[in-house]
Amino acid sequence: MDSERILVVLCILVITLLFCSRSVLAGDIVHEDDIAPKKPGCENSFVLVKVHTLIDNVEGKEFVGVGARFGTTMASKEKHANHSKLVLSDPPDCCSPPKNKLTGEVILVHRGNCTFTTKANIAETAGASAILIVNYKKELYKMVCEANETDLQIQIPAVMLPQDAGSILEDSLNGNSSVAVQLYSPQRPLVDIAEVFLWLMAVGTILCASYWSAWSARGAAIEQDKLLKDASDDYLNMEDTSATGVVDINTTSAVLFVVIASCFLVMLYKLMSYAFVELLVVLFCIGGVEGLQTCLVALLSRISFRWFKRAGESFIKVPFFGAVSHLTLAVSPFCIAFAVIWAVFRRVSFAWIGQDILGIALIVTVLQIVRVPNLKVGTVLLSCAFLYDIFWVFVSKSFFSESVMIVVARGDNSGEDGIPMLLKIPRMFDPWGGYSIIGFGDILLPGLIIAFTLRYDWLSKKSLRAGYFLWAMMAYGLGLLITYVALNLMDGHGQPALLYIVPFTLGTLLTLAKQRGDLDILWGRGEPERICPHIHLQPSQRESI
């Protein structure tokens, strides 16, 4: 069963890299249309706006828009905001005076054919109390002023709505329904408790996975020493089999890993659909079942109940899977049922709990199976992921007119609310709701090198302070914390966490190893030299070592 398990987990590992940059989003995606300097009449701070609706005097949906850099500001509390009737603009683009006379209504217009300020000036002159501009895409854009504009004394609020929200409102108006809207902009808290829990979740996952990996490595080393002590010369000449079920990454596979992920990302971007997201859900469930099963079997095997130990040590041959322990067969139905129930109910409000459980189990399992053998491979892997993250989040806009990573991670054109390869927690005290999230890759990829440091520390018998694991964990935690700070400073824009985590983690390890004189060992061999006193080597054998 080891080969099948490794294949499944490696496939999931490639997919997790695709989404390592959609980190710690606040639930809203806001892009800038143009970069324009502030000037008198066009110097508002960009704020999110709630658009509460009443359709035929019945509570309707509440939409989220973004306020323009021009126009007047809105109330911050719902009780201070007025209900105003909503009307459609005729012509729809509001680039010329509307045919219908306005007396304080809010006017709904389409984006395009003239500047935002032109639309707002025309709407204000016609008697509108506010203007809602419907974007031609799903996301929101910040409305700015052109460099040569002068007529900027606009005295009504201007708000942009995403395409889907505008379509719903327009359909209601075309169906002769009476629609009223209420515009207000509640302030978002600087820090939400969800971000604290997500930080603890990411750090705790790496901590648990690292200790499990180190325990396994130390146990394997002890077992190998015992075998070597009584082994014959024929055994000494056999290949090492202690690493069965463990995959060591090399520099070539680290580079290919990122190249393959990039190709798959472009394919998803070009062919994104409902079917693709469903395929990702299936793959996530397969990986989640394998991860949850592995974690449960390992945990139950260590419980001092005699039945669990016997069930974990007795095996039965299963077609296609090979030898499987009775304990694995016992927990498998539960794991499968858990994943299926999550997949069926993944759109309900509390489904994030099941997604996080499956995700953490998958990450811990991958960090147990896949390992970096030395600091050189870890540096190549994280450096490639660092460049991958930056390119597909920021640089790809120059080639594809939009951020490929964000579009794919958000699941545009798929009919689904994003992809499952991330951990998320609902924002608890944020009036805007949404989730704080972090991609699997932002935990898993740094986790590979952090787990390596703990294995090295234990095998070299270093104390926590004299070793490298403690400093690597602190560097990762600080890098992730800086990501949250950057997120809040960037008005909720998604930030690629590896942009901050990789320099902190790698920089700390390389600098510390250089100062301590361990860089050559960490970079090359990756583990301390272990000489068995009971093995007497010939001079030629010592030279080969």
Side-chain angles (χ1 to χ4, degrees), residues 384-442:
C384 290
F386 174 78
L387 297 175
Y388 168 95
D389 228 7
I390 294 175
F391 180 85
W392 290 113
V393 175
F394 299 125
V395 182
S396 62
K397 294 179 182 179
S398 303
F399 299 94
F400 298 91
S401 74
E402 55 189 350
S403 174
V404 173
M405 179 69 75
I406 295 297
V407 170
V408 172
R410 194 171 55 230
D412 286 5
N413 304 320
S414 66
E416 293 275 355
D417 185 20
I419 49 87
M421 279 74 174
L422 43 84
L423 303 182
K424 62 181 185 179
I425 297 179
R427 296 178 65 87
M428 302 176 187
F429 301 105
D430 193 333
W432 299 99
Y435 293 88
S436 289
I437 68 177
I438 183 170
F440 284 180
D442 297 324

Side-chain angles (χ1 to χ4, degrees), residues 201-222:
M201 189 184 298
V203 172
T205 298
I206 293 180
L207 191 67
C208 294
S210 298
Y211 271 96
W212 186 8
S213 179
W215 269 316
S216 300
R218 185 166 64 176
I222 293 173

Side-chain angles (χ1 to χ4, degrees), residues 175-187:
N176 296 322
S177 296
S178 173
V179 180
V181 294
Q182 189 180 27
L183 309 179
Y184 61 105
S185 179
Q187 294 182 351

Side-chain angles (χ1 to χ4, degrees), residues 74 102-103 113 215 254 278 280 413 490:
M74 284 150 284
L102 304 178
T103 55
N113 299 327
W215 269 316
E278 292 299 304
L280 293 178
N413 304 320
M490 296 293 180

